[in-house]
Every structure is written in C-alpha cells, then in structure tokens.
Amino acid sequence: MLGGGVLFAVLYGVLLLEPLQQRAESLDKSRRAEAATLAWLEAQRELVASYAQAPTPVNDGRSVLAVMNEAASAAGIAGQLKRITPLDESQIIAGFEDVPYGGFMRWLQTLTLERGARVLRLRMERRPVAGLVSVELTLGFP
C-alpha cells in the first residue's frame, strides 16, 4: 500500500507538476519578451511624434524625375541609378545596382521628407561586396 502511494506521488509529480512548471517558465519567458518589446515601443514614441510634426513636403514645380536625379547626386549615388520608369504622373519605378546602402537610404529619406514620397514596393538584394545592395522600388508622390 505504501509503495502504491509513493508510485502515485511520483507519477503525479512527473506527469502533472513538471509539465505545468515548464509551461509556467515558458509563459514567463514570453511575458519578459513582451515587456521588452513594450519598453522599446514606448521609447520610440517621441521619434514617431517627431515624424507627425515633420514639415509638409514642398512641390516646387520640378518634375519628379529631376528631383530624384538631384537627390541621387546629393547622396553620391547618381552613378548607381540605372533605371527610372514613370508609371504615371505620381508613380515611378527606380532601379539601383551595387549602390552603397547608406547612400541609398539618404536618397530615400530626402525624397520621403522633402517630396512626400511613399515606398509602394521595395526589393533589396545584398551584393557580394559588403555594404552594397541592388534595389528596385516603386515610389508614389503626392
């Protein structure tokens, strides 16, 4: 009878308590990860608010293609801009080959902040040389 009680206690611990403890540890780990994500999001609140206060893009009468070329020159990536295809008056497709990632991002930021460009589609591929990418994107303009 005593052996049956001990067997029951061992089975109870192994079959019920141990899985419950593992589940509790898993949930606690998930909770900590969610708390870290929430803290990061809260830290981004000021940055997001600054975007909402960004100045309205200016349309100075220049064509979208002229603005794109000027921004590419200013970012030092005009030589890597291989294709510009207008889709209509407010959308273009642009293609870059072996462009420095930082230069491309400066170019895109200029178009976004100064002209209100929106990225509608983006495909970026890493190149064999570190820091270079090939990019094809569709931009929409107001």
Side-chain angles (χ1 to χ4, degrees):
M1 179 73 80
L2 182 61
V6 170
L7 180 62
F8 176 75
V10 169
L11 288 176
Y12 178 77
V14 170
L15 296 178
L16 183 65
L17 294 180
E18 190 172 319
L20 287 176
Q21 182 179 1
Q22 289 174 353
R23 177 71 175 147
E25 289 171 1
S26 173
L27 290 173
D28 187 53
K29 183 178 178 183
S30 294
R31 183 196 55 77
R32 286 192 309 267
E34 291 295 326
T37 300
L38 179 61
W40 181 84
L41 287 171
E42 290 294 332
Q44 303 309 308
R45 183 182 306 254
E46 188 175 313
L47 178 64
V48 171
S50 72
Y51 285 137
Q53 298 169 359
T56 304
V58 176
N59 185 348
D60 56 7
R62 294 181 296 155
S63 75
V64 170
L65 298 177
V67 171
M68 289 181 61
N69 282 325
E70 183 179 303
S73 293
I77 60 170
Q80 288 84 20
L81 180 57
K82 301 298 183 186
R83 293 175 303 284
I84 298 179
T85 307
L87 293 177
D88 58 31
E89 294 176 4
S90 64
Q91 293 184 9
I92 59 94
I93 296 174
F96 291 86
E97 293 179 12
D98 296 330
V99 63
Y101 177 79
F104 170 76
M105 294 307 289
R106 280 189 300 280
W107 173 82
L108 187 57
Q109 181 179 27
T110 298
L111 291 177
T112 302
L113 295 177
E114 294 179 11
R115 287 295 291 235
R118 296 176 333 275
V119 176
L120 304 175
R121 188 180 68 79
L122 174 72
R123 183 178 58 83
M124 183 178 293
E125 294 179 4
R126 188 172 27 175
R127 303 303 298 159
V129 176
L132 297 183
V133 293
S134 287
V135 180
E136 185 175 306
L137 76 158
T138 303
L139 294 173
F141 291 86

